[in-house]
Amino acid sequence: MAFWEDLRTRVLEHITASDIAFSIKKKLATTEVSEIAFVKPAYYLGQLSVLTMDFIDYTEKLLDTADGDKPTMLELLLYVRECAKSLALNVKTVSDPLEIAIQMIEEIYEGEELADEESGVESEPGPMVAPPEGSIEEDEDLEGEEPDDEDTLQPEEDEEEDSRENFELQRSNLEEKLIKKLETVDCSKNITEELASSISNIYLECVQHAKDLARLAESIDGDLPGILSVLVDIQYGLDFQLRGLLLEDVEVEEEITFVPGMLTWSSLFLNELTENIIEEY
């Protein structure tokens, strides 16, 4: 997708966390919630934005390493690992402030809806409000009309163009490139493949986080449902996607299972890599 390639280019630009934090706070302040409530979430989202770009940049530098160059690959993997640790810390830290910000915006939005209902004034239609598929409103609108396939399908396709699922091809290609690169230093096949998978999945979440922040910047000032929708997507990406790739945990379903993440696989890989370097030099 175009966004994936554009982001790879933009990571080379000089972008500060404070620039991003202030732009996020300015956007959230249009919701009429006190600006002070957005300082912490904006700060940590700004930090995360820069760290996600750093992770992408370190990964690209790793791919540019000469095949079999064990010392350089060791160095770059350490950078990738340290960046992942910083990401993990910021994901944990932003969770509560972001949740509080979402709740405060929700209260304003629900209060406005309640006030409209009590006054008997219908809310003006917003750009993000649309009847769900199969709803009564939709059925009434379509009654007696011939649906135009191009008109009905194209907006949905455009909206989903850069979704997480549609980045899967790029993620899969990245994983294959990482496997081929990591295989050149003669570490265990399973550890190599798992590390490549972990790095590529984190890379995907970094791209998705940048995409969500871009959507937030493009949202209409004061559009409470629109801003809320993007913030919930950001929260989902951090708490339920990226966190699981960075912060390992024990899952309890039918049986207890420990799910290793990037930090575990990178430790195992680096251990073998250092042993290979010692033997070679």
Side-chain angles (χ1 to χ4, degrees):
M1 297 297 170
F3 186 84
W4 181 288
E5 297 303 326
D6 290 344
L7 184 63
R8 291 181 63 199
T9 302
R10 287 195 290 117
V11 294
L12 300 177
E13 298 177 0
H14 180 68
I15 303 173
T16 68
S18 61
D19 292 334
I20 300 168
F22 274 94
S23 66
I24 292 172
K25 185 186 73 72
K26 182 179 179 181
K27 176 64 65 173
L28 297 183
T30 66
T31 62
E32 300 181 8
V33 176
S34 172
E35 291 189 29
I36 199 70
F38 299 130
V39 171
K40 279 190 175 182
Y43 174 83
Y44 288 109
L45 288 175
Q47 296 291 316
L48 278 165
S49 178
V50 172
L51 284 170
T52 54
M53 292 185 183
D54 284 344
F55 189 90
I56 291 171
D57 197 23
Y58 286 132
T59 302
E60 294 294 335
K61 285 180 169 60
L62 177 63
L63 289 172
D64 288 338
T65 305
D67 291 352
D69 186 349
K70 295 182 177 68
T72 302
M73 200 168 296
L74 173 65
E75 177 184 333
L76 283 167
L77 279 171
L78 286 171
Y79 275 116
V80 171
R81 178 179 166 80
E82 290 304 311
C83 187
K85 289 164 68 176
S86 297
L87 278 169
L89 177 61
N90 278 271
V91 167
K92 289 175 63 178
T93 308
V94 77
S95 181
D96 287 344
L98 182 58
E99 175 66 25
I100 291 170
I102 289 173
Q103 289 176 357
M104 295 181 75
I105 298 174
E106 282 179 339
E107 289 175 3
I108 295 289
Y109 179 51
E110 291 170 359
E112 289 184 358
E113 284 193 321
L114 182 61
D116 288 341
E117 290 176 2
E118 291 177 348
S119 64
V121 177
E122 293 185 2
S123 300
E124 295 182 3
M128 299 195 66
V129 177
E133 184 178 353
S135 67
I136 296 175
E137 292 88 343
E138 184 185 37
D139 292 341
E140 289 176 350
D141 291 340
L142 295 178
E143 187 175 356
E145 296 183 7
E146 289 291 333
D148 187 323
D149 290 343
E150 184 175 350
D151 291 342
T152 56
L153 293 178
Q154 190 61 41
E156 182 179 348
E157 290 173 356
D158 290 343
E159 183 179 350
E160 295 297 324
E161 179 183 357
D162 288 324
S163 69
R164 181 179 280 102
E165 291 74 16
N166 285 320
F167 283 138
E168 177 55 29
L169 177 59
Q170 284 83 354
R171 190 214 64 79
S172 179
N173 290 338
L174 173 62
E175 182 177 348
E176 290 180 8
K177 291 178 182 178
L178 284 166
I179 290 174
K180 290 179 180 178
K181 180 62 63 175
L182 296 175
E183 282 178 339
T184 65
V185 293
D186 304 320
C187 292
S188 301
K189 178 178 176 61
N190 180 59
I191 294 174
T192 297
E193 291 177 350
E194 291 290 353
L195 178 57
S197 177
S198 296
I199 293 175
S200 64
N201 277 305
I202 294 171
Y203 191 116
L204 167 61
E205 291 308 317
C206 291
V207 172
Q208 187 62 41
H209 184 68
K211 179 64 179 175
D212 289 337
L213 289 182
R215 288 173 53 218
L216 180 63
E218 294 164 2
S219 62
I220 300 171
D221 289 353
D223 177 15
L224 296 185
I227 292 173
L228 266 175
S229 175
V230 178
L231 287 180
V232 170
D233 285 344
I234 291 172
Q235 183 186 45
Y236 172 78
L238 296 177
D239 277 349
F240 298 97
Q241 297 292 122
L242 189 55
R243 179 189 288 265
L245 297 168
L246 298 169
L247 303 173
E248 296 139 342
D249 202 355
V250 176
E251 291 186 355
V252 181
E253 295 179 354
E254 294 181 358
E255 57 183 23
I256 298 176
T257 307
F258 176 72
V259 182
M262 186 265 177
L263 298 179
T264 293
W265 293 117
S266 61
S267 293
L268 294 171
F269 188 91
L270 287 167
N271 182 55
E272 290 191 3
L273 180 55
T274 51
E275 290 179 354
N276 292 343
I277 291 175
I278 292 171
E279 290 177 1
E280 185 172 331
Y281 294 95

